[in-house]
Short mmCIF file of all heavy atoms in Angstrom, two decimals:
data_model
loop_
_atom_site.label_atom_id
_atom_site.label_comp_id
_atom_site.label_asym_id
_atom_site.label_seq_id
_atom_site.Cartn_x
_atom_site.Cartn_y
_atom_site.Cartn_z
N MET P 796 83.27 120.22 86.75
CA MET P 796 82.08 119.42 86.66
C MET P 796 81.25 119.80 85.44
O MET P 796 80.65 118.92 84.82
CB MET P 796 81.25 119.53 87.93
CG MET P 796 81.82 118.75 89.09
SD MET P 796 80.77 118.80 90.53
CE MET P 796 81.17 120.41 91.16
N GLN P 797 81.20 121.08 85.13
CA GLN P 797 80.43 121.49 83.95
C GLN P 797 81.02 120.89 82.68
O GLN P 797 80.29 120.45 81.80
CB GLN P 797 80.38 123.02 83.86
CG GLN P 797 79.51 123.66 84.90
CD GLN P 797 78.04 123.28 84.76
OE1 GLN P 797 77.54 122.98 83.69
NE2 GLN P 797 77.32 123.28 85.87
N LEU P 798 82.35 120.84 82.59
CA LEU P 798 83.00 120.25 81.42
C LEU P 798 82.70 118.75 81.34
O LEU P 798 82.46 118.22 80.25
CB LEU P 798 84.51 120.49 81.48
CG LEU P 798 85.30 120.04 80.26
CD1 LEU P 798 84.78 120.67 78.99
CD2 LEU P 798 86.77 120.36 80.45
N GLU P 799 82.69 118.08 82.47
CA GLU P 799 82.33 116.66 82.49
C GLU P 799 80.90 116.46 81.99
O GLU P 799 80.62 115.54 81.22
CB GLU P 799 82.49 116.08 83.89
CG GLU P 799 82.24 114.59 83.95
CD GLU P 799 82.47 114.00 85.33
OE1 GLU P 799 82.91 114.72 86.26
OE2 GLU P 799 82.21 112.81 85.48
N MET P 800 79.98 117.33 82.38
CA MET P 800 78.60 117.25 81.90
C MET P 800 78.53 117.46 80.39
O MET P 800 77.80 116.76 79.69
CB MET P 800 77.72 118.29 82.60
CG MET P 800 77.37 117.96 84.02
SD MET P 800 76.25 116.56 84.17
CE MET P 800 74.76 117.26 83.51
N VAL P 801 79.31 118.40 79.88
CA VAL P 801 79.33 118.64 78.44
C VAL P 801 79.82 117.39 77.71
O VAL P 801 79.23 116.97 76.70
CB VAL P 801 80.22 119.87 78.11
CG1 VAL P 801 80.49 119.96 76.61
CG2 VAL P 801 79.57 121.14 78.63
N HIS P 802 80.87 116.76 78.21
CA HIS P 802 81.41 115.56 77.58
C HIS P 802 80.41 114.41 77.64
O HIS P 802 80.22 113.70 76.64
CB HIS P 802 82.72 115.16 78.23
CG HIS P 802 83.85 116.08 77.89
ND1 HIS P 802 85.15 115.80 78.18
CD2 HIS P 802 83.87 117.29 77.30
CE1 HIS P 802 85.92 116.78 77.78
NE2 HIS P 802 85.15 117.70 77.24
N LYS P 803 79.78 114.20 78.78
CA LYS P 803 78.81 113.12 78.92
C LYS P 803 77.61 113.36 78.01
O LYS P 803 77.11 112.43 77.38
CB LYS P 803 78.35 112.98 80.38
CG LYS P 803 79.41 112.36 81.27
CD LYS P 803 78.91 112.29 82.71
CE LYS P 803 79.97 111.71 83.59
NZ LYS P 803 79.61 110.40 84.10
N THR P 804 77.13 114.59 77.94
CA THR P 804 76.00 114.91 77.07
C THR P 804 76.35 114.63 75.62
O THR P 804 75.53 114.08 74.87
CB THR P 804 75.58 116.38 77.25
OG1 THR P 804 75.29 116.61 78.63
CG2 THR P 804 74.35 116.71 76.43
N ALA P 805 77.55 114.97 75.21
CA ALA P 805 77.98 114.72 73.83
C ALA P 805 78.04 113.22 73.54
O ALA P 805 77.65 112.76 72.46
CB ALA P 805 79.34 115.37 73.57
N ARG P 806 78.53 112.43 74.50
CA ARG P 806 78.59 110.97 74.30
C ARG P 806 77.19 110.38 74.20
O ARG P 806 76.94 109.52 73.36
CB ARG P 806 79.38 110.31 75.43
CG ARG P 806 80.88 110.54 75.32
CD ARG P 806 81.66 109.61 76.23
NE ARG P 806 81.30 109.72 77.63
CZ ARG P 806 81.93 110.49 78.51
NH1 ARG P 806 82.95 111.24 78.12
NH2 ARG P 806 81.55 110.52 79.77
N VAL P 807 76.29 110.82 75.07
CA VAL P 807 74.91 110.31 75.03
C VAL P 807 74.26 110.65 73.69
O VAL P 807 73.56 109.84 73.10
CB VAL P 807 74.08 110.86 76.21
CG1 VAL P 807 72.61 110.56 76.02
CG2 VAL P 807 74.57 110.27 77.52
N ALA P 808 74.50 111.85 73.20
CA ALA P 808 73.86 112.31 71.96
C ALA P 808 74.24 111.44 70.76
O ALA P 808 73.42 111.27 69.86
CB ALA P 808 74.24 113.77 71.69
N VAL P 809 75.43 110.88 70.73
CA VAL P 809 75.85 110.09 69.57
C VAL P 809 75.62 108.60 69.72
O VAL P 809 75.76 107.86 68.75
CB VAL P 809 77.34 110.35 69.21
CG1 VAL P 809 77.55 111.81 68.84
CG2 VAL P 809 78.27 109.93 70.32
N LEU P 810 75.24 108.14 70.91
CA LEU P 810 74.93 106.72 71.08
C LEU P 810 73.64 106.38 70.36
O LEU P 810 72.68 107.13 70.42
CB LEU P 810 74.78 106.37 72.57
CG LEU P 810 76.03 106.40 73.43
CD1 LEU P 810 75.67 106.09 74.88
CD2 LEU P 810 77.06 105.40 72.93
N PRO P 811 73.62 105.23 69.68
CA PRO P 811 72.37 104.84 69.02
C PRO P 811 71.31 104.43 70.05
O PRO P 811 71.65 103.97 71.13
CB PRO P 811 72.79 103.66 68.15
CG PRO P 811 74.00 103.10 68.83
CD PRO P 811 74.69 104.26 69.48
N SER P 812 70.06 104.60 69.68
CA SER P 812 68.95 104.17 70.55
C SER P 812 68.51 102.78 70.15
O SER P 812 68.61 102.42 68.99
CB SER P 812 67.78 105.14 70.44
OG SER P 812 68.11 106.37 71.04
N PRO P 813 68.05 102.00 71.08
CA PRO P 813 67.86 102.31 72.49
C PRO P 813 69.19 102.28 73.23
O PRO P 813 70.13 101.60 72.82
CB PRO P 813 66.93 101.21 72.99
CG PRO P 813 67.22 100.05 72.10
CD PRO P 813 67.58 100.64 70.76
N LYS P 814 69.24 103.03 74.30
CA LYS P 814 70.46 103.12 75.10
C LYS P 814 70.09 103.38 76.55
O LYS P 814 69.28 104.25 76.84
CB LYS P 814 71.36 104.24 74.61
CG LYS P 814 70.66 105.60 74.60
CD LYS P 814 71.44 106.64 73.86
CE LYS P 814 70.59 107.88 73.64
NZ LYS P 814 71.10 108.71 72.59
N PRO P 815 70.64 102.61 77.47
CA PRO P 815 70.42 102.95 78.87
C PRO P 815 71.28 104.15 79.27
O PRO P 815 72.48 104.18 78.97
CB PRO P 815 70.82 101.69 79.64
CG PRO P 815 71.61 100.88 78.70
CD PRO P 815 71.33 101.35 77.31
N VAL P 816 70.66 105.13 79.87
CA VAL P 816 71.36 106.28 80.40
C VAL P 816 71.02 106.33 81.88
O VAL P 816 69.85 106.31 82.25
CB VAL P 816 70.93 107.59 79.70
CG1 VAL P 816 71.62 108.79 80.32
CG2 VAL P 816 71.24 107.50 78.22
N ILE P 817 72.03 106.37 82.72
CA ILE P 817 71.81 106.34 84.16
C ILE P 817 71.87 107.77 84.69
O ILE P 817 72.95 108.30 84.94
CB ILE P 817 72.85 105.45 84.86
CG1 ILE P 817 72.82 104.05 84.25
CG2 ILE P 817 72.61 105.42 86.36
CD1 ILE P 817 73.99 103.17 84.65
N PRO P 818 70.72 108.44 84.84
CA PRO P 818 70.71 109.82 85.32
C PRO P 818 70.69 109.87 86.84
O PRO P 818 69.72 110.27 87.46
CB PRO P 818 69.43 110.39 84.72
CG PRO P 818 68.52 109.22 84.67
CD PRO P 818 69.39 108.01 84.43
N ALA P 819 71.76 109.42 87.43
CA ALA P 819 71.84 109.32 88.88
C ALA P 819 72.41 110.59 89.49
O ALA P 819 73.03 111.39 88.82
CB ALA P 819 72.69 108.13 89.27
N GLY P 820 72.21 110.71 90.77
CA GLY P 820 72.81 111.80 91.52
C GLY P 820 74.23 111.44 91.91
O GLY P 820 74.95 110.76 91.17
N SER P 821 74.62 111.82 93.08
CA SER P 821 76.01 111.66 93.50
C SER P 821 76.45 110.20 93.62
O SER P 821 77.63 109.91 93.57
CB SER P 821 76.26 112.37 94.83
OG SER P 821 75.42 111.82 95.83
N ASN P 822 75.50 109.27 93.75
CA ASN P 822 75.90 107.87 93.83
C ASN P 822 76.16 107.26 92.46
O ASN P 822 76.76 106.19 92.36
CB ASN P 822 74.83 107.04 94.56
CG ASN P 822 73.55 106.93 93.78
OD1 ASN P 822 73.19 107.84 93.03
ND2 ASN P 822 72.85 105.84 93.95
N GLY P 823 75.70 107.89 91.41
CA GLY P 823 75.82 107.34 90.06
C GLY P 823 77.22 106.92 89.63
O GLY P 823 77.40 105.82 89.11
N PRO P 824 78.22 107.75 89.83
CA PRO P 824 79.55 107.36 89.40
C PRO P 824 80.12 106.16 90.15
O PRO P 824 81.07 105.53 89.70
CB PRO P 824 80.40 108.61 89.67
CG PRO P 824 79.42 109.73 89.64
CD PRO P 824 78.15 109.16 90.22
N TYR P 825 79.52 105.82 91.28
CA TYR P 825 80.08 104.76 92.13
C TYR P 825 79.22 103.52 92.21
O TYR P 825 79.72 102.43 92.49
CB TYR P 825 80.31 105.31 93.54
CG TYR P 825 81.09 106.60 93.50
CD1 TYR P 825 80.46 107.82 93.76
CD2 TYR P 825 82.43 106.61 93.18
CE1 TYR P 825 81.17 109.01 93.70
CE2 TYR P 825 83.14 107.79 93.11
CZ TYR P 825 82.51 108.99 93.37
OH TYR P 825 83.20 110.16 93.30
N SER P 826 77.91 103.64 92.01
CA SER P 826 77.03 102.50 92.28
C SER P 826 76.44 101.84 91.04
O SER P 826 75.76 100.84 91.16
CB SER P 826 75.89 102.95 93.20
OG SER P 826 75.10 103.91 92.54
N HIS P 827 76.68 102.37 89.88
CA HIS P 827 76.14 101.80 88.66
C HIS P 827 77.31 101.57 87.69
O HIS P 827 78.22 102.40 87.63
CB HIS P 827 75.13 102.74 88.01
CG HIS P 827 74.01 103.11 88.92
ND1 HIS P 827 74.10 104.11 89.84
CD2 HIS P 827 72.77 102.58 89.05
CE1 HIS P 827 72.96 104.20 90.50
NE2 HIS P 827 72.14 103.29 90.04
N SER P 828 77.24 100.49 86.92
CA SER P 828 78.35 100.18 86.02
C SER P 828 77.85 99.93 84.61
O SER P 828 77.24 98.91 84.32
CB SER P 828 79.11 98.96 86.52
OG SER P 828 80.11 98.60 85.59
N CYS P 829 78.15 100.86 83.72
CA CYS P 829 77.83 100.65 82.31
C CYS P 829 78.74 99.56 81.71
O CYS P 829 78.35 98.89 80.76
CB CYS P 829 77.99 101.95 81.52
SG CYS P 829 76.55 103.03 81.68
N ALA P 830 79.90 99.36 82.30
CA ALA P 830 80.79 98.29 81.83
C ALA P 830 80.13 96.93 82.04
O ALA P 830 80.40 95.98 81.31
CB ALA P 830 82.12 98.36 82.56
N VAL P 831 79.27 96.82 83.04
CA VAL P 831 78.53 95.57 83.31
C VAL P 831 77.19 95.60 82.58
O VAL P 831 76.82 94.66 81.89
CB VAL P 831 78.33 95.37 84.82
CG1 VAL P 831 77.43 94.19 85.10
CG2 VAL P 831 79.68 95.20 85.52
N MET P 832 76.43 96.68 82.75
CA MET P 832 75.08 96.75 82.20
C MET P 832 75.05 96.73 80.67
O MET P 832 74.20 96.05 80.08
CB MET P 832 74.37 98.02 82.69
CG MET P 832 73.97 97.96 84.13
SD MET P 832 73.21 99.48 84.74
CE MET P 832 71.99 99.85 83.51
N GLY P 833 75.93 97.46 80.05
CA GLY P 833 75.95 97.53 78.58
C GLY P 833 76.07 96.16 77.93
O GLY P 833 75.23 95.78 77.11
N PRO P 834 77.10 95.38 78.29
CA PRO P 834 77.23 94.05 77.69
C PRO P 834 76.08 93.11 78.06
O PRO P 834 75.65 92.31 77.22
CB PRO P 834 78.55 93.53 78.25
CG PRO P 834 79.34 94.76 78.56
CD PRO P 834 78.31 95.76 79.02
N LEU P 835 75.58 93.20 79.26
CA LEU P 835 74.45 92.34 79.66
C LEU P 835 73.21 92.63 78.82
O LEU P 835 72.47 91.72 78.44
CB LEU P 835 74.12 92.52 81.13
CG LEU P 835 75.06 91.85 82.13
CD1 LEU P 835 74.69 92.26 83.55
CD2 LEU P 835 75.01 90.35 81.99
N LEU P 836 72.97 93.90 78.54
CA LEU P 836 71.81 94.30 77.75
C LEU P 836 72.08 94.29 76.25
O LEU P 836 71.16 94.35 75.44
CB LEU P 836 71.36 95.71 78.16
CG LEU P 836 70.89 95.86 79.60
CD1 LEU P 836 70.70 97.33 79.95
CD2 LEU P 836 69.61 95.08 79.82
N GLY P 837 73.36 94.25 75.88
CA GLY P 837 73.72 94.32 74.47
C GLY P 837 73.47 95.70 73.89
O GLY P 837 73.18 95.85 72.71
N LEU P 838 73.60 96.73 74.74
CA LEU P 838 73.32 98.10 74.34
C LEU P 838 74.43 99.03 74.81
O LEU P 838 75.05 98.79 75.84
CB LEU P 838 72.00 98.58 74.97
CG LEU P 838 70.74 97.85 74.56
CD1 LEU P 838 69.58 98.26 75.46
CD2 LEU P 838 70.41 98.11 73.11
N PRO P 839 74.66 100.12 74.09
CA PRO P 839 75.60 101.12 74.59
C PRO P 839 75.01 101.80 75.81
O PRO P 839 73.79 101.94 75.92
CB PRO P 839 75.75 102.10 73.42
CG PRO P 839 74.46 101.99 72.68
CD PRO P 839 74.03 100.55 72.83
N CYS P 840 75.84 102.20 76.72
CA CYS P 840 75.36 102.74 77.99
C CYS P 840 76.22 103.94 78.38
O CYS P 840 77.40 104.00 78.04
CB CYS P 840 75.47 101.65 79.05
SG CYS P 840 74.93 102.12 80.71
N GLU P 841 75.62 104.88 79.09
CA GLU P 841 76.37 106.04 79.60
C GLU P 841 75.89 106.36 81.01
O GLU P 841 74.70 106.40 81.28
CB GLU P 841 76.15 107.26 78.72
CG GLU P 841 76.89 108.50 79.18
CD GLU P 841 78.41 108.36 79.14
OE1 GLU P 841 78.95 107.80 78.18
OE2 GLU P 841 79.04 108.82 80.10
N LYS P 842 76.84 106.56 81.91
CA LYS P 842 76.52 107.03 83.25
C LYS P 842 76.42 108.55 83.20
O LYS P 842 77.36 109.22 82.83
CB LYS P 842 77.59 106.61 84.25
CG LYS P 842 77.62 105.13 84.49
CD LYS P 842 78.36 104.72 85.72
CE LYS P 842 79.80 105.06 85.72
NZ LYS P 842 80.50 104.54 86.89
N ALA P 843 75.26 109.06 83.56
CA ALA P 843 75.02 110.49 83.45
C ALA P 843 75.15 111.21 84.78
O ALA P 843 74.92 112.40 84.86
CB ALA P 843 73.62 110.74 82.86
N GLY P 844 75.52 110.51 85.82
CA GLY P 844 75.65 111.13 87.12
C GLY P 844 76.96 111.88 87.29
O GLY P 844 77.96 111.56 86.66
N ILE P 845 76.93 112.87 88.11
CA ILE P 845 78.12 113.64 88.46
C ILE P 845 78.29 113.52 89.97
O ILE P 845 77.31 113.53 90.72
CB ILE P 845 77.95 115.13 88.08
CG1 ILE P 845 77.76 115.26 86.57
CG2 ILE P 845 79.13 115.96 88.54
CD1 ILE P 845 78.96 114.89 85.73
N ALA P 846 79.52 113.40 90.43
CA ALA P 846 79.78 113.08 91.82
C ALA P 846 79.17 114.07 92.82
O ALA P 846 78.63 113.66 93.82
CB ALA P 846 81.28 112.97 92.07
N VAL P 847 79.23 115.34 92.54
CA VAL P 847 78.76 116.31 93.52
C VAL P 847 78.47 117.64 92.83
O VAL P 847 79.09 117.98 91.84
CB VAL P 847 79.79 116.50 94.66
CG1 VAL P 847 81.15 116.78 94.14
CG2 VAL P 847 79.38 117.58 95.63
N GLY P 848 77.49 118.36 93.36
CA GLY P 848 77.29 119.73 92.93
C GLY P 848 76.24 119.95 91.86
O GLY P 848 75.87 121.08 91.60
N ILE P 849 75.77 118.89 91.21
CA ILE P 849 74.76 119.06 90.17
C ILE P 849 73.58 118.16 90.54
O ILE P 849 73.74 116.95 90.68
CB ILE P 849 75.31 118.70 88.78
CG1 ILE P 849 76.46 119.66 88.43
CG2 ILE P 849 74.20 118.77 87.73
CD1 ILE P 849 77.14 119.38 87.14
N GLY P 850 72.42 118.74 90.69
CA GLY P 850 71.25 117.99 91.11
C GLY P 850 70.59 117.21 89.99
O GLY P 850 70.90 117.39 88.81
N LEU P 851 69.65 116.36 90.37
CA LEU P 851 68.95 115.53 89.39
C LEU P 851 68.15 116.35 88.38
O LEU P 851 68.07 115.97 87.22
CB LEU P 851 68.03 114.54 90.11
CG LEU P 851 68.73 113.37 90.78
CD1 LEU P 851 67.72 112.51 91.52
CD2 LEU P 851 69.48 112.53 89.75
N VAL P 852 67.58 117.46 88.80
CA VAL P 852 66.82 118.28 87.85
C VAL P 852 67.74 118.75 86.73
O VAL P 852 67.40 118.64 85.55
CB VAL P 852 66.15 119.48 88.57
CG1 VAL P 852 65.55 120.43 87.56
CG2 VAL P 852 65.11 118.99 89.55
N GLU P 853 68.90 119.25 87.07
CA GLU P 853 69.87 119.68 86.05
C GLU P 853 70.26 118.54 85.14
O GLU P 853 70.36 118.70 83.92
CB GLU P 853 71.12 120.26 86.73
CG GLU P 853 72.28 120.52 85.79
CD GLU P 853 72.13 121.75 84.93
OE1 GLU P 853 71.28 122.60 85.23
OE2 GLU P 853 72.86 121.86 83.92
N ILE P 854 70.47 117.36 85.70
CA ILE P 854 70.86 116.20 84.90
C ILE P 854 69.74 115.83 83.93
O ILE P 854 69.98 115.63 82.74
CB ILE P 854 71.24 115.02 85.81
CG1 ILE P 854 72.57 115.33 86.52
CG2 ILE P 854 71.35 113.72 85.02
CD1 ILE P 854 72.93 114.36 87.61
N PHE P 855 68.49 115.76 84.41
CA PHE P 855 67.38 115.41 83.53
C PHE P 855 67.18 116.47 82.45
O PHE P 855 66.94 116.13 81.29
CB PHE P 855 66.09 115.23 84.33
CG PHE P 855 65.98 113.87 84.95
CD1 PHE P 855 66.17 113.70 86.31
CD2 PHE P 855 65.70 112.76 84.18
CE1 PHE P 855 66.07 112.44 86.89
CE2 PHE P 855 65.59 111.49 84.75
CZ PHE P 855 65.79 111.34 86.11
N VAL P 856 67.26 117.73 82.80
CA VAL P 856 67.10 118.80 81.81
C VAL P 856 68.18 118.72 80.74
O VAL P 856 67.91 118.86 79.55
CB VAL P 856 67.10 120.19 82.50
CG1 VAL P 856 67.26 121.32 81.50
CG2 VAL P 856 65.84 120.37 83.32
N ARG P 857 69.40 118.45 81.15
CA ARG P 857 70.51 118.41 80.20
C ARG P 857 70.40 117.23 79.24
O ARG P 857 70.67 117.36 78.05
CB ARG P 857 71.84 118.36 80.94
CG ARG P 857 73.02 118.40 79.99
CD ARG P 857 74.31 118.56 80.74
NE ARG P 857 74.38 119.80 81.47
CZ ARG P 857 74.97 120.91 81.05
NH1 ARG P 857 75.53 120.93 79.86
NH2 ARG P 857 75.02 121.97 81.81
N TYR P 858 70.01 116.06 79.74
CA TYR P 858 69.98 114.86 78.90
C TYR P 858 68.68 114.65 78.15
O TYR P 858 68.63 113.89 77.20
CB TYR P 858 70.29 113.62 79.74
CG TYR P 858 71.72 113.57 80.17
CD1 TYR P 858 72.07 113.89 81.47
CD2 TYR P 858 72.73 113.23 79.29
CE1 TYR P 858 73.39 113.88 81.89
CE2 TYR P 858 74.05 113.21 79.69
CZ TYR P 858 74.37 113.54 80.99
OH TYR P 858 75.67 113.53 81.39
N ALA P 859 67.60 115.30 78.55
CA ALA P 859 66.28 115.07 77.94
C ALA P 859 66.29 115.14 76.41
O ALA P 859 65.71 114.27 75.76
CB ALA P 859 65.26 116.04 78.52
N PRO P 860 66.94 116.12 75.80
CA PRO P 860 66.90 116.18 74.32
C PRO P 860 67.66 115.04 73.64
O PRO P 860 67.47 114.81 72.46
CB PRO P 860 67.56 117.53 74.01
CG PRO P 860 67.53 118.30 75.26
CD PRO P 860 67.58 117.30 76.37
N THR P 861 68.52 114.34 74.35
CA THR P 861 69.35 113.31 73.71
C THR P 861 68.84 111.89 73.95
O THR P 861 69.46 110.94 73.48
CB THR P 861 70.80 113.40 74.24
OG1 THR P 861 70.82 113.09 75.63
CG2 THR P 861 71.40 114.76 74.01
N ILE P 862 67.70 111.77 74.64
CA ILE P 862 67.20 110.44 75.00
C ILE P 862 65.86 110.19 74.33
O ILE P 862 64.98 111.05 74.33
CB ILE P 862 67.06 110.32 76.53
CG1 ILE P 862 68.43 110.46 77.21
CG2 ILE P 862 66.42 108.98 76.92
CD1 ILE P 862 68.37 110.51 78.70
N ASP P 863 65.71 108.99 73.75
CA ASP P 863 64.45 108.56 73.19
C ASP P 863 63.63 108.00 74.34
O ASP P 863 63.93 106.93 74.87
CB ASP P 863 64.71 107.49 72.13
CG ASP P 863 63.44 106.99 71.49
OD1 ASP P 863 62.36 107.56 71.74
OD2 ASP P 863 63.52 106.00 70.73
N TRP P 864 62.60 108.71 74.78
CA TRP P 864 61.87 108.39 75.99
C TRP P 864 60.75 107.39 75.77
O TRP P 864 59.72 107.44 76.41
CB TRP P 864 61.31 109.66 76.62
CG TRP P 864 62.37 110.58 77.11
CD1 TRP P 864 62.91 111.63 76.44
CD2 TRP P 864 63.05 110.52 78.36
NE1 TRP P 864 63.89 112.23 77.20
CE2 TRP P 864 63.99 111.58 78.40
CE3 TRP P 864 62.96 109.70 79.47
CZ2 TRP P 864 64.81 111.81 79.46
CZ3 TRP P 864 63.79 109.93 80.54
CH2 TRP P 864 64.71 110.98 80.54
N GLN P 865 60.91 106.41 74.90
CA GLN P 865 59.88 105.39 74.70
C GLN P 865 60.01 104.32 75.76
O GLN P 865 61.09 103.84 76.04
CB GLN P 865 60.03 104.78 73.32
CG GLN P 865 59.80 105.77 72.21
CD GLN P 865 59.97 105.13 70.86
OE1 GLN P 865 60.01 103.93 70.71
NE2 GLN P 865 60.08 105.98 69.85
N PHE P 866 58.89 103.95 76.36
CA PHE P 866 58.88 102.91 77.38
C PHE P 866 58.06 101.73 76.92
O PHE P 866 57.10 101.84 76.28
CB PHE P 866 58.30 103.46 78.70
CG PHE P 866 59.13 104.55 79.27
CD1 PHE P 866 58.81 105.87 79.05
CD2 PHE P 866 60.24 104.24 80.04
CE1 PHE P 866 59.58 106.88 79.59
CE2 PHE P 866 61.02 105.25 80.58
CZ PHE P 866 60.68 106.57 80.35
#
């Protein structure tokens, strides 16, 4: 799981902004689809959730430096 997080973080870091990043918990890999959302929004997308074992705090801390947090 840690290796998967490293790979996902690297992918998010190189995606141009704006970009939807789905920082979901254990439901993220199953309930959200970047294959659908990305084309609908016309933006690159990455699912940042991990199936089990890593909480949302860890996910937010890991991805925070790679996301442009403008709303």
Side-chain angles (χ1 to χ4, degrees):
M796 284 185 281
Q797 289 295 332
L798 185 56
E799 184 177 356
M800 285 291 290
V801 168
H802 288 191
K803 287 178 181 248
T804 304
R806 286 194 302 266
V807 169
V809 298
L810 290 177
S812 290
K814 57 191 168 199
V816 177
I817 304 168
S821 60
N822 68 329
Y825 309 107
S826 64
H827 303 84
S828 175
C829 279
V831 173
M832 287 177 49
L835 284 173
L836 297 170
L838 297 169
C840 180
E841 180 64 42
K842 292 197 297 185
I845 299 293
V847 51
I849 298 177
L851 285 176
V852 172
E853 170 76 16
I854 289 170
F855 278 106
V856 167
R857 183 171 298 263
Y858 289 103
T861 65
I862 297 173
D863 180 9
W864 294 95
Q865 296 179 14
F866 296 97

